Amino acid sequence: MAEKAEETGHVPVETTAPVFDSSAIGHGEDNLPLEDMLPGGWKYKVLNSRFGIYYASPKFQLTMVALVCFLCPGMFNALSGMGGGGKQNPTLADNMNTALYSTFAVFGFFGGTFVNKLGVKATLSFGGIGYCIYTISLLVSEHAYVPGFNIFAGALLGVCAGLLWTAQGTIMISYPHESSKGRYFAWFWAIFNMGAVIGSLIPLAQNIHQKKAGNVNDGTYIGFIVLMFCGACLALMLCNAKDVIRPDNTKIVLMKNPTWQTEIFGLWETLRYEPFVICLFPMFWCSNWFYTYQQNAVNAARFDVRTRALNSLLYYAAQIIGALLLGYALDLERFRRSVRAKSCLAMLYVTTMVIWGGGYAWQNYTRFETDRSLDEVTGLPVNPNALPALDWNSSGYVGPMFLYFFYGLYDSLWQASVYWFMGALSNSGRRSANYVGFYKGIQSAGAAVMWNRDANNMSYKAEFVSNWIMLSIALVCATPVILMKIRDTVVLEEDLKGTDETAQDVILDFNAKHAGDA
């Protein structure tokens, strides 16, 4: 049992605290039933002992978070995936997204401070509200000229999304054991992107006969608003991290008494503890950089409304496939974790060259050639000879359809790799929150720059080239971290550094729990 505990990295070698091996639930005479190992109360009432599921278990909480993201950012992605926020002219959405990712960058970077201080429940629920208001502003803009409201909604969503995604990432990489972090990502990403897949069916069904470029209808926006509000309400039913107990009866490493001062200083402590994480910052920066090009320069620029909805559906379906494949591959225990990390890096090098190489062959049109907008003064087409919007019945559609599918697959591979790399550096909930905060903040700063460039009519070719070059450079920068800093395990003593907790706070004493039973 002690050897098993040491291998997981969650129990210090010298501790004498008893540890329950969840892999042996119900097996052997020396193992107590899971129900007897957990504290009392409804949060710990076992729903499925074989899989270690109860309300305050990591699996149950991750599923709830995934459903929140299914309803909030999942629906947002379905709307954004059509390009231009569902509008033919992407300028308004570009400006809103510039505001969004500008505030997202700030609140994402410092998101770990808020999550550690306020808890995951409050930050997730507040985060969900921003998605509703953002979509409401798009609906209002269909009937009135309200640029101030639109920009405000974008900026507010940046604040909300920064908190929501930091809380989500903290749960995803700190709740599971080292041996299951890839699977946790796969489960979350599959459920979350199923929201975008189902969300894509809304505009697809409502615009099924619209074989021309244009805007989605009001019903599409209303459907998204209702679902997003449900997601914000669902977040209120979560447990905070301090109440979560793993099936092996270990808790999440946190600060027992966090203050604003300790959590702000904790950002510096995180960098001091592992300065090599800075080498991952280029991966963070470009992890949302390609969305602008894919959604606006490819999907919105070249396809009619119903085909844009179909492309978006395929894009997010590919995300589910990629997340499940890579997530489970990253947890293959027959290979050491350091070997899996290097293999993952090699895979990213190959897919970056192959998929974006295919994109280079497709990118043979200009922004002016796809401009189907009308002149505000004359009402005539700006470019009477603009390329026609492709429909799924058009000849030559199959090639770009598969390209867009693989763009979605690539996105899931990139995101899965980044989350897994961060999770491999630490099991601490506090440090993980700061890692994810850095990730979301820097990611959003990059996205803000790219949305702004698109709003200022950066050429499609330049957008494409910037993606391919930056992704390649990011992999080169990340290589030292993968080769030198990802170890086969992280011991508990290292995770406790920078917190006010001890091993006894993290490992429940079952003998004490049952001392009065005799």
Side-chain angles (χ1 to χ4, degrees), residues 66-243:
L67 290 174
V68 171
C69 292
F70 172 103
L71 293 167
C72 293
M75 297 301 152
F76 172 83
N77 282 351
L79 186 60
S80 298
M82 296 185 65
K87 299 179 182 295
Q88 170 59 28
N89 188 334
T91 302
L92 175 62
D94 280 350
N95 291 331
M96 291 176 68
N97 286 335
T98 300
L100 188 166
Y101 288 106
S102 296
T103 54
F104 197 157
V106 176
F107 281 83
F109 193 87
F110 294 99
T113 300
F114 288 92
V115 171
N116 288 331
K117 175 61 180 174
L118 302 177
V120 295
K121 181 194 299 186
T123 48
L124 275 164
S125 184
F126 176 71
I129 295 298
Y131 289 90
C132 303
I133 296 175
Y134 180 93
T135 310
I136 289 171
S137 78
L138 285 173
L139 174 61
V140 173
S141 71
E142 287 290 294
H143 305 279
Y145 181 68
V146 287
F149 180 36
N150 293 131
I151 299 303
F152 166 78
L156 176 63
L157 178 55
V159 176
C160 295
L163 301 180
L164 181 145
W165 277 108
T166 304
Q168 172 275 327
T170 302
I171 291 171
M172 193 169 65
I173 68 175
S174 68
Y175 281 21
H177 283 300
E178 290 179 340
S179 60
S180 56
K181 292 190 177 187
R183 292 194 295 276
Y184 269 58
F185 174 85
W187 300 333
F188 168 82
W189 210 250
I191 296 172
F192 156 55
N193 280 287
M194 187 59 69
V197 169
I198 295 175
S200 297
L201 292 174
I202 298 174
L204 180 60
Q206 294 184 337
N207 300 277
I208 192 70
H209 300 299
Q210 191 167 337
K211 297 183 181 181
K212 61 180 182 179
N215 301 342
V216 300
N217 57 39
D218 287 358
T220 300
Y221 289 120
I222 293 170
F224 283 132
I225 292 166
V226 172
L227 293 170
M228 290 170 175
F229 180 74
C230 291
C233 295
L234 179 62
L236 293 172
M237 301 176 66
L238 284 163
C239 293
N240 275 317
K242 65 180 181 180
D243 298 320

Side-chain angles (χ1 to χ4, degrees), residues 187-411:
W187 300 333
F188 168 82
W189 210 250
I191 296 172
F192 156 55
N193 280 287
M194 187 59 69
V197 169
I198 295 175
S200 297
L201 292 174
I202 298 174
L204 180 60
Q206 294 184 337
N207 300 277
I208 192 70
H209 300 299
Q210 191 167 337
K211 297 183 181 181
K212 61 180 182 179
N215 301 342
V216 300
N217 57 39
D218 287 358
T220 300
Y221 289 120
I222 293 170
F224 283 132
I225 292 166
V226 172
L227 293 170
M228 290 170 175
F229 180 74
C230 291
C233 295
L234 179 62
L236 293 172
M237 301 176 66
L238 284 163
C239 293
N240 275 317
K242 65 180 181 180
D243 298 320
V244 174
I245 299 176
R246 301 186 183 98
D248 68 348
N249 290 276
T250 56
K251 301 187 73 174
I252 314 303
V253 177
L254 303 164
M255 284 287 282
K256 286 187 293 187
N257 301 295
T259 65
W260 290 112
Q261 290 82 1
T262 62
E263 296 316 305
I264 291 174
F265 183 68
L267 294 171
W268 160 246
E269 288 182 326
T270 298
L271 290 175
R272 185 181 64 179
Y273 171 79
E274 187 50 88
F276 261 69
V277 75
I278 295 174
C279 294
L280 293 178
F281 283 7
M283 285 192 79
F284 298 175
W285 175 269
C286 58
S287 58
N288 273 9
W289 186 274
F290 44 73
Y291 287 160
T292 308
Y293 169 77
Q294 292 168 351
Q295 294 171 6
N296 285 1
V298 178
N299 206 22
R302 293 296 283 122
F303 303 98
D304 61 28
V305 172
R306 70 174 191 170
T307 308
R308 284 157 61 186
L310 175 62
N311 289 342
S312 180
L313 186 152
L314 294 173
Y315 185 95
Y316 292 110
Q319 295 245 16
I320 296 173
I321 295 171
L324 290 172
L325 289 176
L326 184 57
Y328 276 82
L330 289 172
D331 282 347
L332 289 175
E333 293 187 298
R334 70 184 68 176
F335 304 106
R336 292 185 298 116
R337 188 166 69 170
S338 56
V339 173
R340 282 175 268 151
K342 294 169 186 174
S343 300
C344 181
L345 179 66
M347 176 275 299
L348 288 177
Y349 273 112
V350 172
T351 53
T352 300
M353 294 300 109
V354 173
I355 294 175
W356 288 91
Y360 181 77
W362 163 253
Q363 184 51 63
N364 56 6
Y365 53 88
T366 67
R367 187 180 288 271
F368 181 71
E369 289 173 337
T370 58
D371 188 352
R372 306 179 198 91
S373 61
L374 301 178
D375 186 273
E376 294 181 357
V377 177
T378 65
L380 298 174
V382 172
N383 179 12
N385 300 314
L387 294 172
L390 291 175
D391 184 71
W392 65 53
N393 288 327
S394 302
S395 61
Y397 170 66
V398 174
M401 178 195 73
F402 275 106
L403 173 63
Y404 208 70
F405 176 89
F406 281 108
Y407 275 151
L409 184 75
Y410 181 84
D411 181 26

